[in-house]
Amino acid sequence: MTKLLFVCSRNQWRSPTGEQVWRRQPGIQARSAGTRPNARHKISAADIAWADLILVMESKHKNRIKAEFGRLLEHKPIHVLDIPDEYQYMDPELVEQLTGAVAQILADNRS
């Protein structure tokens, strides 16, 4: 099982969409979290420990995670998906971006 942690700011639209899309795939477990204090589920040390891959929507999310959890990230790959905050939950274009980008990352990690 590969454990994917999707991260955005408020854990409202982008990261829950990633979780929903990828949790249905064989061999994948998915969770989502946000970096802001008012996130639906704020990222925690337990989330980082659980994850095999951390997939953030923007560079600012990677920077926030590194600032807060630096030492926990020593052997955790973090990938920036470069998906701006302009989509609603399960927006077809967002689903398409998440599907393509994450599939490529998984393929690269397996080779």
Side-chain angles (χ1 to χ4, degrees):
M1 272 300 185
T2 300
K3 298 173 187 169
L4 306 178
L5 178 62
F6 291 90
V7 181
C8 64
S9 296
R10 293 180 311 231
N11 187 224
Q12 186 173 354
W13 294 326
R14 293 174 292 172
S15 59
T17 298
E19 176 183 4
Q20 185 64 28
V21 167
W22 281 94
R23 75 180 325 158
R24 298 184 220 146
Q25 302 302 316
I28 300 287
Q29 290 182 333
R31 289 185 185 174
S32 64
T35 57
R36 289 211 183 135
N38 64 341
R40 201 170 50 99
H41 171 77
K42 184 166 183 334
I43 191 168
S44 67
D47 293 321
I48 291 169
W50 173 86
D52 295 318
L53 290 172
I54 300 170
L55 304 154
V56 300
M57 301 299 150
E58 301 174 60
S59 294
K60 68 181 179 182
H61 303 127
K62 180 178 181 177
N63 296 338
R64 287 177 188 155
I65 292 169
K66 284 179 131 183
E68 190 169 347
F69 301 103
R71 297 193 76 185
L72 295 175
L73 298 166
E74 284 180 14
H75 302 290
K76 295 284 179 176
I78 301 176
H79 297 274
V80 179
L81 302 176
D82 286 320
I83 298 176
D85 191 8
E86 55 190 44
Y87 300 100
Q88 298 289 316
Y89 178 70
M90 295 304 286
D91 179 302
E93 190 176 322
L94 174 58
V95 169
E96 185 178 314
Q97 287 188 50
L98 286 164
T99 302
V102 176
Q104 185 62 54
I105 291 165
L106 291 173
D108 291 348
N109 280 336
R110 289 189 178 123
S111 49

